[in-house]
Amino acid sequence: MEAHRLIADAREAAANSYSPYSHYRVGAVVVTPDGDEYRGCNIENAAYGASICAEANAITTAAAHGVRQIDTVAVTCLDGDACSPCGNCRQIMREFNVRRVILTDEAGEPVEYALADLLPRSFGPEDLK
Ligand code: THU
């Protein structure tokens, strides 16, 4: 099943996590409407606030390759029961019109959400037009 495969790929991405401070390895995979995929992991910094989440890394990598529309983001972590995107990453997802977010439950099984449910009544690009 696609969701299982994407979570497996996110786990692979998490293996490259640079997280010497939290020891919390997160991986993310972005899928475009054309089926192109981009991966990212969290990259921490001694100045903690300069750290980059896995989702932000994957999404900005996709954007740097010219992607402007994202269908799905899959996220998982290797060092906890389950992880859920922070508010900042939900807003970054919103910018690129993410439709579906795949997370994992405590057993590592994929669980799908609509971004609209994770970030209700959101502010986005249309609000500035
Ligand atoms: N983190 C992510 O990369 N994505 C999430 O969805 C949750 C948190 C990272 C940020 C930091 O490097 C570490 O996990 C602990 O907060």
Side-chain angles (χ1 to χ4, degrees), residues 58-100:
I59 293 169
T60 56
T61 297
H65 284 82
V67 170
R68 295 292 180 265
Q69 169 83 36
I70 293 170
D71 182 71
T72 297
V73 180
V75 188
T76 196
C77 61
L78 302 182
D79 306 298
D81 285 346
C83 67
S84 188
C86 73
N88 194 54
C89 286
R90 292 176 197 213
Q91 186 65 35
I92 294 171
M93 291 179 193
R94 174 71 170 83
E95 186 69 21
F96 296 100
N97 207 15
V98 169
R99 178 182 67 85
R100 179 175 63 147

Side-chain angles (χ1 to χ4, degrees), residues 17-19 22 24-27 41-44 51-55 75 83-86 89:
S17 166
Y18 174 73
S19 41
S22 71
Y24 189 74
R25 294 168 293 173
V26 186
C41 58
N42 56 327
I43 305 293
E44 297 185 346
S51 299
I52 301 166
C53 285
E55 301 90 320
V75 188
C83 67
S84 188
C86 73
C89 286

